Amino acid sequence: MKIGWAGLGNMGKPMVKNLVKAGFDVQVYNRTVSKATEFAKETGVKVAATPADLVKDVDCVITMVADDAALQEIWEQLLAAPLPAGLLAIDMSTVSPDTTKAMAARVKEKGVAYLDAPVSGSVKPAEDRQLIILVGGKEADFERAKPVFDNLGKSATLLGDNGAGNYAKLAINAFLGITVQGLAEAVIFAKKHGIGPDKLLPLINEGSVGSGITKIKTPGIVNDNYAPAFALKLLAKDIRLAREQGMNTPAGVTLSEALNGAVKEGLGEEDMMAILKYLS
């Protein structure tokens, strides 16, 4: 399978590397050309100058970009170009289900099959092929995409028609955000009463409230290091999308307000755990 890949951010790079290791013929496109050129030197992939060039002579085009606007920008250029017959499009970004449904309908008119396939997991799971892939679309298209998914994650699940993958991802990220904010509030409360994170977090992690995310975030909290595994601004975007889709429960609303406040204070580029800095 020949693949055209658009988007070489923190997630895109390790995912492409895994496809190359698996033997796929991959060419890449990135809006910042220098990133694509540097990546090509490292991996040997071909670089497309434009989205139109990306889809010449490929079986599948995969997008992994930051938001709805970036996805729409790429597809506006793709739709203006000749598209290969039987092209399979897979969007692995976290975008609005409304955007996905509209995009799927548009590309269908061009004879293109479309899957939304956002992933649960950050950079380390991407590097280790341990992503959980959440898919919306037709079963036949899902089966065509399985060889790709099998080399990117530990599981891929078809959840329904287009948009279903997006809804599942937003639900998971809502829970993620609420967990991270809850962890931050626990750390702040304990610290006010003389119990530092180095004492509190091992107790949390050894008990029933500990989880994968509390363990992953412990070193960063203890060392006051918020280098982004998942940027706070991206979580804020995801929670905004969930709110637009009707999430109006108390914890979700509070989380949205806190994340937006943190972005306004300049913490958007830091890891989502920097919500601790904002709430402090």
Side-chain angles (χ1 to χ4, degrees):
M1 184 183 287
K2 293 182 178 180
I3 296 173
W5 184 287
L8 293 174
N10 289 341
M11 294 292 287
K13 287 180 179 179
M15 293 169 78
V16 171
K17 285 180 181 178
N18 283 329
L19 292 177
V20 172
K21 287 176 187 175
F24 288 93
D25 181 353
V26 185
Q27 80 171 323
V28 299
Y29 167 78
N30 196 71
R31 288 187 295 177
T32 304
V33 178
S34 58
K35 282 187 179 181
T37 304
E38 183 178 334
F39 185 71
K41 290 178 182 176
E42 180 184 352
T43 59
V45 298
K46 293 168 283 187
V47 176
T50 67
D53 291 333
L54 184 69
V55 293
K56 289 179 181 175
D57 192 34
V58 297
D59 307 296
C60 174
V61 60
I62 302 176
T63 45
M64 183 55 150
V65 294
D67 53 30
D68 297 55
L71 179 67
Q72 289 165 338
E73 178 184 328
I74 287 171
W75 269 103
E76 286 303 325
Q77 295 179 66
L78 290 176
L79 288 169
L83 297 173
L87 181 67
L88 173 63
I90 305 172
D91 177 42
M92 306 194 79
S93 321
T94 301
V95 298
S96 168
D98 292 340
T99 295
T100 286
K101 292 172 188 176
M103 196 66 67
R106 287 185 69 188
V107 304
K108 184 179 180 181
E109 296 174 0
K110 295 273 191 175
V112 176
Y114 196 93
L115 296 172
D116 49 297
V119 300
S120 180
S122 56
V123 175
K124 189 64 167 65
E127 292 172 346
D128 295 341
R129 291 172 49 183
Q130 292 295 297
L131 295 169
I132 298 169
I133 304 170
L134 318 162
V135 189
K138 302 300 182 189
E139 186 169 0
D141 301 324
F142 175 72
E143 291 300 325
R144 284 176 62 195
K146 278 299 294 295
V148 173
F149 295 152
D150 288 346
N151 286 285
L152 293 176
K154 62 181 178 180
S155 71
T157 305
L158 181 63
L159 297 161
D161 211 340
N162 287 125
N166 298 136
Y167 285 120
K169 177 62 186 293
L170 295 180
I172 289 169
N173 275 15
F175 181 53
L176 171 66
I178 290 167
T179 302
V180 166
Q181 179 160 327
L183 179 61
E185 293 186 17
V187 168
I188 291 166
F189 176 78
K191 195 171 182 179
K192 283 182 179 178
H193 296 279
I195 304 167
D198 57 327
K199 298 287 197 306
L200 177 70
L201 291 168
L203 301 176
I204 288 176
N205 291 332
E206 290 170 15
S208 60
V209 296
S211 66
I213 195 64
T214 66
K215 292 171 184 175
I216 289 168
K217 296 306 177 188
T218 289
I221 295 171
V222 170
N223 296 311
D224 198 30
N225 179 0
Y226 301 99
F230 181 37
L232 188 148
K233 67 178 183 181
L234 296 180
L235 181 59
K237 179 263 296 182
D238 294 348
I239 300 308
R240 173 180 59 78
L241 294 178
R243 296 274 288 125
E244 290 172 356
Q245 295 296 321
M247 185 182 74
N248 58 7
T249 45
V253 172
T254 301
L255 172 64
S256 178
E257 292 171 353
L259 289 169
N260 290 338
V263 170
K264 288 178 182 176
E265 288 202 4
L267 297 171
E269 299 293 340
E270 298 191 43
D271 189 74
M272 61 181 173
M273 200 63 239
I275 191 71
L276 173 60
K277 294 169 68 174
Y278 172 72
L279 294 173
S280 294

